[in-house]
Amino acid sequence: MAGELSSPAAPPRATPVRGGEPRVLHPPKRRLRGWLYVLPALAVYLGFAIWPAINTVRLSLLSWDGILPATFVGIENYIKIFRDSALFEAILHSLVLIVFFSFIPIAAGLLMTALLMGKVRKGMTFFRVVFFLPQVLPLVAVGITWRWLYSDTGVINQILDVVGLGSFGRAWLGDYQLALTALGLIGTWSMSGLCMMLFLTGAQKIDPSLYEAAKLDGANTFRQFLHVTLPGVRKEITVAGVITTIAALASFDLVFVTTNGGPAGQTNVPGLLVYRLAFNEGDIGGASALAVVLTVIVMAVVGGIRYFTRDRD
């Protein structure tokens, strides 16, 4: 009786061939065809992502200047990273930049989303283009522009002069105390538009009936945003957090163009020091070890973001 009630096995999939006769593809052959489609992309990924990562780990265990024969030193390069104050401070600087590249842009993006969703209906495309424009510009061009804005005779100091606050003017990127903050604000300006675009896209997918139900329950605009919009853009917040955190930890071109690590190393970041160790000092092993440490930090922070923003349901 059980055998009669059990559903019959699904027949092999038939695919049409020339002449109208179906050709049967058995499951093993279907899986083989699927791997054949994936193989080109997999080969590129293995060749340009996985193998360089494995080779970087191997080089981090060596003492090598890129020319003479390498010498195996084990974890000595990693120990040097945490003993060298400059290298360790660079890691701390990158963690500080997360505040400016990730936390503040996400908060600003949520604020702009609330304003645009609640007030502006016509001309939404214009606001999207204006706020997203920093993402279109190359970071090198952004860095050069902001370096001019922050200079002694730049627009920022000129505005301070006009409003009677000229005494606060300075070469912002050359100030020992404020250089890292000034650099971080460039990242805030650059990333806020991206976060806003992600949140707007997610908010527009929320069922309007949820807002109507919240209104019937007496929820004001703020409570609607808190209890309807925020839960509806949880996934977009996770994506924004991951993208902006990686941008903060792996920043190189913006720092290289604006401050080059100055003044006195106050804006050094791991990406910049990896470049200096490898190409200026010829310490391939140390550069590889620092790159591995940076990768581990990125994975840990991104993993934490994904864990705390996951769907509890």
Side-chain angles (χ1 to χ4, degrees):
M1 180 65 69
E4 295 177 358
L5 295 177
S6 61
S7 59
R13 182 180 177 184
T15 57
V17 296
R18 188 176 300 176
E21 293 294 333
R23 177 168 57 89
V24 176
L25 282 180
H26 296 281
K29 292 185 177 180
R30 291 206 303 269
R31 286 195 294 267
L32 179 59
R33 170 176 285 188
W35 278 107
L36 289 176
Y37 284 124
V38 174
L39 189 59
L42 182 61
V44 173
Y45 185 73
L46 289 174
F48 290 93
I50 301 301
W51 167 245
I54 295 174
N55 196 40
T56 300
V57 175
R58 181 183 67 85
L59 291 174
S60 69
L61 303 176
L62 305 176
S63 176
W64 186 41
D65 61 358
I67 301 175
L68 298 177
T71 303
F72 181 80
V73 295
I75 63 172
E76 183 178 330
N77 289 322
Y78 293 95
I79 296 175
K80 182 175 67 175
I81 290 174
F82 293 99
R83 286 182 175 176
D84 190 329
S85 59
L87 297 178
F88 190 71
E89 287 176 1
I91 296 175
L92 296 180
H93 293 162
S94 65
L95 296 178
V96 172
L97 289 180
I98 292 178
V99 177
F100 295 97
F101 278 69
S102 184
F103 293 167
I104 298 178
I106 288 176
L110 288 172
L111 176 61
M112 289 187 288
T113 299
L115 294 176
L116 292 178
M117 288 293 295
K119 300 296 182 182
V120 178
R121 297 301 178 188
K122 295 182 180 179
M124 186 73 75
T125 302
F126 170 77
F127 287 98
R128 287 179 174 177
V129 171
V130 170
F131 287 123
F132 192 71
L133 186 61
Q135 284 296 311
V136 181
L137 301 174
L139 279 179
V140 173
V142 170
I144 293 174
T145 302
W146 276 93
R147 187 177 63 184
W148 172 70
L149 293 174
Y150 276 137
S151 66
D152 287 328
T153 58
V155 173
I156 294 177
N157 286 332
Q158 292 179 14
I159 293 175
L160 291 176
D161 286 334
V162 171
V163 299
L165 299 175
S167 60
F168 292 96
R170 66 196 66 200
W172 297 92
L173 293 176
D175 188 278
Y176 187 83
Q177 301 294 335
L178 298 176
L180 186 62
T181 301
L183 179 64
L185 290 176
I186 301 176
T188 300
W189 175 82
S190 178
M191 293 295 170
S192 296
L194 172 64
C195 294
M196 184 210 69
M197 287 292 295
L198 288 173
F199 301 154
L200 271 179
T201 303
Q204 290 175 347
K205 294 187 295 184
I206 299 175
D207 190 351
S209 63
L210 296 177
Y211 290 101
E212 295 174 2
K215 289 180 181 178
L216 292 176
D217 289 339
N220 56 23
T221 303
F222 175 75
R223 289 189 174 275
Q224 291 177 33
F225 177 78
L226 188 64
H227 297 290
V228 179
T229 306
L230 273 183
V233 298
R234 179 189 296 272
K235 294 181 179 179
E236 284 74 16
I237 292 176
T238 302
V239 173
V242 170
I243 294 175
T244 54
T245 298
I246 293 175
L249 293 176
S251 56
F252 166 75
D253 43 5
L254 184 63
V255 180
F256 184 79
V257 170
T258 53
T259 64
N260 196 23
Q266 288 302 297
T267 57
N268 275 335
V269 291
L272 182 63
L273 295 187
V274 168
Y275 170 81
R276 288 179 180 172
L277 287 173
F279 298 102
N280 293 349
E281 301 180 17
D283 186 2
I284 305 299
S288 300
L290 184 57
V292 171
V293 171
L294 177 60
T295 302
V296 172
I297 293 175
V298 170
M299 294 176 63
V301 175
V302 169
I305 292 173
R306 292 180 59 86
Y307 175 79
F308 288 108
T309 58
R310 74 188 189 279
D311 191 349
R312 303 293 177 178
D313 296 335

